[in-house]
Amino acid sequence: MTESGTPETKFKRVMLKISGEALMGDQGYGLHPPTVQRIANEVKAVHDLGVEICMVIGGGNVFRGLAGSAQGMERTTADYMGMLATVMNALAMQSALEGLGVFCRVITAIRMDEVAEPYIRRRAVRHLEKKRVCIFAAGTGNPYFTTDTAAALRANEMACEAILMGKNGVDGVYDKDPKQHADAKRYDSVTFDEVLSKNLKVMDASAIALTRDNNLDIIVFSLDEPGGFKGILAGQGTYTRVHG
């Protein structure tokens, strides 16, 4: 337990980063409400411990900017469409959390005042202090930056103590894709420089550089195991720690 953590957890304030694909369950596209609800239950279990939670959710289950660009769409337009997809996912997660009695705010990097708050750092910090879950949507508000980079940026701005990367079907960082190679080996811990030099698939290079330069650890774990998020914060379960 760190000095800033609660008696039951290692951290007081964390960033949870999950992909948009994590919300589509066994479907090939879109939102799977039972899966959204399951992840919301995981977040609530941690929130009930007194941990302050930030979230960033990708948009790949609805639209992925790079995919659109690869098919001939102008890259900036495609990226903005991807940002809007993240807002849809954030609103779905907000609805699920509020259904569980967890106060929540969706905060967007692109103004859309009718559905969410604009990003104002001091206001977001105050929400966290009041134990509201803050879901940061629309990436950084700029094309050419991923939601990984947005998670790293907001985690630093919010003074989070770690970024928790919830993965689907993978319980850490491996030397090669464990879904394709039976002999893939999982790292218990790995440095930021190793992630970059070995091209390990944790976050994109911009996000890794941002976390490395600000000495912010990344903990990669599986979202599939019930209670996994809560267990990781208690120092239990299987995960990989990415550190300086």
Side-chain angles (χ1 to χ4, degrees):
M1 184 186 73
T2 64
E3 292 182 0
S4 57
T6 72
E8 296 180 76
T9 70
K10 298 177 66 176
F11 306 109
K12 179 184 177 183
R13 181 180 296 171
V14 298
M15 166 65 73
L16 175 62
K17 168 62 170 71
I18 61 178
S19 67
E21 288 86 349
L23 303 184
M24 65 186 185
D26 295 330
Q27 301 174 155
Y29 177 83
L31 289 161
H32 183 236
T35 300
V36 176
Q37 191 64 50
R38 178 180 64 81
I39 295 174
N41 288 332
E42 296 275 327
V43 174
K44 181 182 186 299
V46 171
H47 181 267
D48 287 347
L49 298 176
V51 178
E52 297 169 3
I53 302 171
C54 304
M55 293 183 70
V56 167
I57 306 172
N61 58 317
V62 178
F63 187 87
R64 185 177 291 277
L66 275 176
S69 178
Q71 295 177 27
M73 184 177 292
E74 194 269 324
R75 172 65 189 271
T76 302
T77 299
D79 280 356
Y80 278 121
M81 291 174 66
M83 292 178 214
L84 297 179
T86 71
V87 177
M88 295 171 65
N89 287 338
L91 292 172
M93 183 58 64
Q94 179 187 45
S95 178
L97 285 168
E98 289 183 339
L100 296 172
V102 177
F103 293 107
C104 182
R105 294 290 186 274
V106 172
I107 302 171
T108 60
I110 299 174
R111 293 190 72 102
M112 46 188 81
D113 296 348
E114 289 76 12
V115 297
E117 292 185 9
Y119 176 68
I120 300 172
R121 189 187 70 84
R122 291 174 66 89
R123 180 185 291 176
V125 170
R126 185 61 178 147
H127 286 320
L128 291 171
E129 291 172 347
K130 290 184 176 181
K131 305 303 179 185
R132 296 165 181 158
V133 173
C134 288
I135 307 177
F136 297 100
T140 66
N142 302 287
Y144 296 95
F145 289 93
T146 67
T147 52
D148 283 349
T149 303
L153 175 64
R154 297 297 185 231
N156 279 296
E157 289 181 304
M158 295 297 106
C160 292
E161 296 167 353
I163 299 175
L164 281 84
M165 295 279 295
K167 296 288 188 178
N168 296 92
V170 181
D171 57 359
V173 180
Y174 286 76
D175 59 351
K176 48 192 169 183
D177 190 344
K179 297 178 181 179
Q180 298 181 7
H181 302 276
D183 61 343
K185 296 181 180 179
R186 184 182 60 80
Y187 295 96
D188 287 326
S189 66
V190 63
T191 67
F192 293 118
D193 289 338
E194 286 178 303
V195 168
L196 292 173
S197 65
K198 297 178 181 179
N199 194 29
L200 302 176
K201 303 300 183 182
V202 180
M203 286 180 157
D204 65 75
S206 297
I208 291 294
L210 186 56
T211 53
R212 178 191 61 188
D213 293 347
N214 291 279
N215 198 31
L216 183 64
D217 285 3
I218 304 170
I219 297 173
V220 183
F221 71 104
S222 173
L223 264 180
D224 298 331
E225 184 176 346
F229 184 26
K230 182 179 178 180
I232 294 300
L233 284 175
Q236 303 167 354
T238 303
Y239 59 89
T240 298
R241 175 174 167 256
V242 185
H243 58 92

